[in-house]
Amino acid sequence: MNKRLMFGSILSQQLQQWSGSLRIKAMLSFISWPQYFAAVVIIGLAYYGIVLVKYYRGELLAFVHPKPAFPATTVPKFGGEVIGSIKPEPGESSLNAEDLQFPDGEPTAQDELINEMRGLINAFKGLDQKDEFLSLLSLIFSRYAGTEIDRFSLIEQVLENAHALSFTVDQAEIEAAWQKAA
């Protein structure tokens, strides 16, 4: 261990001798501050320019050469169709404007009641619960108790759609449900 201490002290003495005889000069004393800042700016711009070109080439080209907002359209000189006729999808059909039928004005209470009854009949398809059906039918009738409804056409509508039910409903049962609601 003594050898190490002795070597360390010799080395420190040599360094003290050299440092006393040499002058310490400031680093980069030949570059001024404006030159330094100019060099940093140029190097930074070069770096980001390389990054932009390498990773964003497509965006730069689109920016330099923008596409027109509306592409130019050409009209054929022969006056025919540009594209062929439309081929309908399988199972798709179309109607003429004259064949379309729309109801006049707002749906009436009668129309709403008939739609609710059809929904009730669809809900009870395949179910064998006649008592529940009749009680729900009377509840629907009670919602429209104060409105003007043609009772006979309503009963006909129920009887026409009742064939979808798994049980039979006759006119007397429907009238009983009507009377129960009123």
Side-chain angles (χ1 to χ4, degrees):
M1 273 216 195
N2 286 334
K3 289 182 182 182
R4 284 187 186 174
L5 289 173
M6 198 161 60
F7 180 73
S9 65
I10 294 171
L11 185 61
S12 66
Q13 288 174 359
Q14 288 292 331
L15 286 175
Q16 286 176 359
Q17 287 176 357
W18 287 341
S19 65
S21 64
L22 295 176
R23 290 186 197 173
I24 299 176
K25 293 186 176 185
M27 269 181 75
L28 301 176
S29 62
F30 57 89
I31 296 177
S32 67
W33 282 107
Q35 289 174 337
Y36 170 74
F37 287 127
V40 168
V41 167
I42 290 170
I43 291 171
L45 288 175
Y47 172 77
Y48 284 109
I50 292 169
V51 169
L52 284 173
V53 169
K54 185 172 183 176
Y55 295 108
Y56 298 101
R57 179 177 292 144
E59 287 84 354
L60 285 174
L61 290 176
F63 182 73
V64 173
H65 301 291
K67 293 181 181 178
F70 297 103
T73 58
T74 58
V75 178
K77 294 182 181 179
F78 59 88
E81 293 182 12
V82 177
I83 302 175
S85 63
I86 298 172
K87 182 180 176 184
E89 293 289 326
E92 191 176 280
S93 64
S94 62
L95 295 173
N96 292 329
E98 297 84 27
D99 296 338
L100 296 175
Q101 296 178 0
F102 297 100
D104 296 332
E106 295 287 322
T108 62
Q110 179 96 15
D111 296 333
E112 291 177 6
L113 179 56
I114 289 172
N115 285 335
E116 283 192 49
M117 286 187 332
R118 286 182 183 158
L120 181 66
I121 290 171
N122 287 334
F124 274 86
K125 282 183 181 176
L127 297 176
D128 192 24
Q129 299 173 347
K130 184 176 183 176
D131 294 334
E132 287 83 4
F133 173 77
L134 291 173
S135 65
L136 287 175
L137 187 63
S138 67
L139 282 174
I140 290 174
F141 287 159
S142 66
R143 288 186 52 209
Y144 296 93
T147 59
E148 291 186 28
I149 293 178
D150 183 13
R151 183 176 75 179
F152 298 110
S153 66
L154 185 68
I155 291 172
E156 283 180 23
Q157 288 286 330
V158 174
L159 291 174
E160 285 177 13
N161 294 314
H163 69 279
L165 297 171
S166 60
F167 49 86
T168 58
V169 179
D170 61 355
Q171 185 173 353
E173 291 171 329
I174 297 171
E175 286 185 13
W178 180 267
Q179 294 301 324
K180 184 178 176 183

